[in-house]
């Protein structure tokens, strides 16, 4: 946890401790750049690197070392993560154990994925301005089909059966829905206006058991927040609305799987996966921050990956740790880079990962 120096019994400086796990593929390119952006702000943080990922797994079979999660929770204030996924690890077991391991074992139940359009040129939709895309998806992060409950029977035979259970607990559903209403109450939009709507998205017309629980809990919790407008959409209809008119969204709360899917769709509104940031949060506990994108094997190691998703994730982490000013400076730097087209190819520029990140670092240091 935070180190504290004392002088005459008075605390003079608290440095936050950050665990850095770049992981695989482009994670190893973008995360060091995000770390350098943080350093350029002068924020009082220390970094400790961890080599958890495919290379280590292939080398010695380790995904998470013994007591790894306990160590992260005990010794660090936050965790900055890249991505996991490597074509050499077909089972994806290391991603499951490290990434989903952190989310599940550290109980990081709120996956916060802000969706913001920095410049109209980045949005594939016609006539959509930055003010039109400013919502957040709050994804339940510890339950659902991601628990991987189920099994395969009679594998390889004509009678093969595969089941994948969708686990939804009242506690799990209630805490993420409550988180959404509290988030709405305590956060403003980028233009400073208050957030006012929470929309719950499910598929309760087909998945009646789990959907029924979400519906009941949403009704109960929303009644405690009469000042906030409670809305509902089926996930299929929501996908269509997101493309047709993203202006209507404010705070969206949904389950683990739907949250995964709609946040890639939402990333598309922001300019693509290279622009999307996220936090995996349990209030009051060590939380984990990662860009929404994966390890992108085809572009890995080519200095092509957009580092802005990771850099905006670093800004999110700094704000979470109380470094509001430093966080705002990073966001302003990314916005300026986008405006001046000092960006990578995926969003219409000509810079490499390192060059785009270096521009940000220089902007922050000046
Ligand atoms: P991906 O996000 O890696 O890539 C999807 C597409 O977006 C690709 O075309 C890729 O080139 C592009 N892209 C992604 N990030 C980019 C960036 N920063 N700059 C420029 N382009 C970018 O998703 P995928 O291809 O479905 O998955 C690849 C691997 O990553 C898989 O093993 C998957 O399981 C894993 N994955 C991991 C995470 C994570 O660790 N959080 C998230 C998603 C996918
Ligand atoms: C994400 C990723 C992960 C998820 C994968 C890698 C398991 O797609 O963080 O969005 O589905 O949650
Ligand atoms: Mn995803």
């Amino acid at each position: 946890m935070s180190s504290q120096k004392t002088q005459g019994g008075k605390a003079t400086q608290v440095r936050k401790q950050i665990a850095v796990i770049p992981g695989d593929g482009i994670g190893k390119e973008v995360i060091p750049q995000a770390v350098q952006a943080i350093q350029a702000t002068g924020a009082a943080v220390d970094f400790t690197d961890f080599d958890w990922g495919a290379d280590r797994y292939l080398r010695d079979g380790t995904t998470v070392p013994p007591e790894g999660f306990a160590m992260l929770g005990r010794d660090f204030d936050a965790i900055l993560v890249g991505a996991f996924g490597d074509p050499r690890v077909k089972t994806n077991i290391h991603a499951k154990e490290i990434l989903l391991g952190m989310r599940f074992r550290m109980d990081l139940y709120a996956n916060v994925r802000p969706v913001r359009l920095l410049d109209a040129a980045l949005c594939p939709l016609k006539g959509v301005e930055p003010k039109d895309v400013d919502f957040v998806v709050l994804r339940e992060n510890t339950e659902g089909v991601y628990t991987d409950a189920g099994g395969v029977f009679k594998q390889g035979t004509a009678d093969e059966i595969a089941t994948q259970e969708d686990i939804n607990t009242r506690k799990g559903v209630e805490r993420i829905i409550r988180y959404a209403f509290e988030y709405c109450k305590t956060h403003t939009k980028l233009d400073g206006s208050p957030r006012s709507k929470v929309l719950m998205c499910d598929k309760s017309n087909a998945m009646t058991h789990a959907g029924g629980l979400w519906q009941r809990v949403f009704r109960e919790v929303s009644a405690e927040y009469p000042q906030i407008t409670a809305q509902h959409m089926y996930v299929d209809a929501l996908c269509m609305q997101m493309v047709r008119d993203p202006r209507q969204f404010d705070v969206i709360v949904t389950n683990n799987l739907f949250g995964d899917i709609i946040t890639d769709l939402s990333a598309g509104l922001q300019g693509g996966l290279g622009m999307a940031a996220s936090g995996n949060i349990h209030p009051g506990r060590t939380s984990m921050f990662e860009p929404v994108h994966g390890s992108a094997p085809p572009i890995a190691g080519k200095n092509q990956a957009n580092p802005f998703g990771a850099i905006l994730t670093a800004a999110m982490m700094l704000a979470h740790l109380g470094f509001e000013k430093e966080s705002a400076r990073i966001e302003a730097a990314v916005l300026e880079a986008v405006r001046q087209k000092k960006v990578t190819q995926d969003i219409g520029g000509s810079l490499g990962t390192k060059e785009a990140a270096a521009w940000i670092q220089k902007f922050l240091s000046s």
Side-chain angles (χ1 to χ4, degrees):
M1 276 287 171
S2 321
S3 63
Q4 198 157 333
K5 289 183 188 157
T6 55
Q7 206 173 46
K10 254 180 151 183
T12 53
Q13 193 183 30
V14 178
R15 295 186 68 82
K16 300 284 186 186
Q17 301 303 310
I18 298 173
V20 181
I21 315 178
D24 306 331
I26 63 169
K28 288 194 281 198
E29 294 170 83
V30 298
I31 291 300
Q33 301 301 339
V35 166
Q36 287 197 42
I38 295 174
Q39 284 169 332
T41 68
V45 297
D46 297 322
F47 299 97
T48 306
D49 290 329
F50 293 91
D51 66 353
W52 305 359
D55 286 343
R56 166 105 185 249
Y57 173 66
L58 290 168
R59 204 168 55 239
D60 67 11
T62 307
T63 55
V64 180
E67 300 300 310
F69 298 123
M71 176 273 300
L72 290 175
R74 185 187 60 233
D75 298 343
F76 293 94
D77 297 291
I79 311 162
L80 182 62
V81 164
F84 302 94
D86 186 302
R88 296 169 299 169
V89 186
K90 301 272 181 262
T91 58
N92 212 26
I93 181 72
H94 69 299
K96 190 174 169 193
E97 292 191 2
I98 302 170
L99 181 72
L100 299 184
M102 278 187 278
R103 292 179 185 168
F104 281 62
R105 301 273 295 276
M106 300 180 78
D107 203 27
L108 306 176
Y109 69 86
N111 191 338
V112 180
R113 298 189 156 183
V115 184
R116 294 167 174 179
L117 175 63
L118 297 186
D119 192 285
L122 298 187
C123 188
L125 304 181
K126 282 189 299 237
V128 171
E129 302 288 327
K131 65 174 172 33
D132 300 327
V133 182
D134 180 7
F135 62 93
V136 61
V137 177
L138 302 172
R139 164 188 179 190
E140 202 295 318
N141 216 22
T142 58
E143 302 192 341
V145 291
Y146 278 70
T147 52
D148 214 16
V152 180
F153 307 101
K154 302 183 186 175
Q155 191 168 345
T157 73
D159 296 325
E160 183 163 351
I161 300 166
T163 65
Q164 194 81 43
E165 297 288 333
D166 185 7
I167 308 289
N168 295 264
T169 67
R170 178 169 272 273
K171 173 184 156 192
V173 174
E174 184 172 338
R175 66 182 178 174
I176 189 66
I177 288 177
R178 194 172 293 286
Y179 190 95
F181 280 95
E182 286 297 319
Y183 187 99
C184 187
K185 209 167 98 176
T186 54
H187 288 74
T188 55
K189 295 192 160 204
L190 282 179
D191 66 7
S193 64
R195 293 205 175 272
S196 61
K197 299 185 284 189
V198 175
L199 184 149
M200 192 272 278
C201 150
D202 65 17
K203 188 64 191 168
S204 54
N205 49 354
M207 302 161 74
T208 58
H209 311 302
L213 176 63
W214 278 78
Q215 291 277 343
R216 286 192 304 279
V217 173
F218 188 64
R219 251 195 318 275
E220 286 166 24
V221 175
S222 63
E224 295 173 33
Y225 297 86
Q227 73 283 19
I228 295 174
T229 306
Q231 302 174 319
H232 171 263
M233 265 185 209
Y234 298 122
V235 65
D236 47 353
L238 179 132
C239 288
M240 186 275 293
Q241 290 292 345
M242 209 174 251
V243 173
R244 204 189 59 79
D245 182 16
R247 294 168 191 85
Q248 64 190 294
F249 297 110
D250 192 346
V251 177
I252 298 174
V253 62
T254 191
N255 73 17
N256 209 336
L257 180 62
F258 299 152
D260 178 50
I261 296 167
I262 67 172
T263 52
D264 266 32
L265 179 57
S266 327
L269 301 175
Q270 294 168 270
L273 279 161
M275 296 301 292
S278 85
N280 299 259
I281 294 174
H282 185 126
R285 292 201 197 165
T286 301
S287 294
M288 185 263 280
F289 296 80
E290 49 163 349
V292 175
H293 66 72
S295 55
I299 61 165
K302 296 182 177 164
N303 195 38
Q304 284 178 16
N306 184 345
F308 290 179
I311 292 173
L312 290 167
T313 296
M316 223 179 141
M317 180 179 73
L318 286 180
H320 179 84
L321 292 173
F323 297 104
E324 301 285 355
K325 219 172 60 205
E326 290 84 349
S327 170
R329 286 189 63 218
I330 292 183
E331 289 190 347
V334 172
L335 181 60
E336 196 51 35
V338 167
R339 286 192 178 143
Q340 294 194 30
K341 281 213 179 316
K342 304 293 182 193
V343 300
T344 45
Q345 287 173 23
D346 56 306
I347 53 169
S350 59
L351 300 185
T353 309
K354 287 183 189 147
E355 292 71 28
W359 194 92
I360 299 282
Q361 286 147 26
K362 196 160 163 230
F363 187 90
L364 288 168
S365 309
S366 61

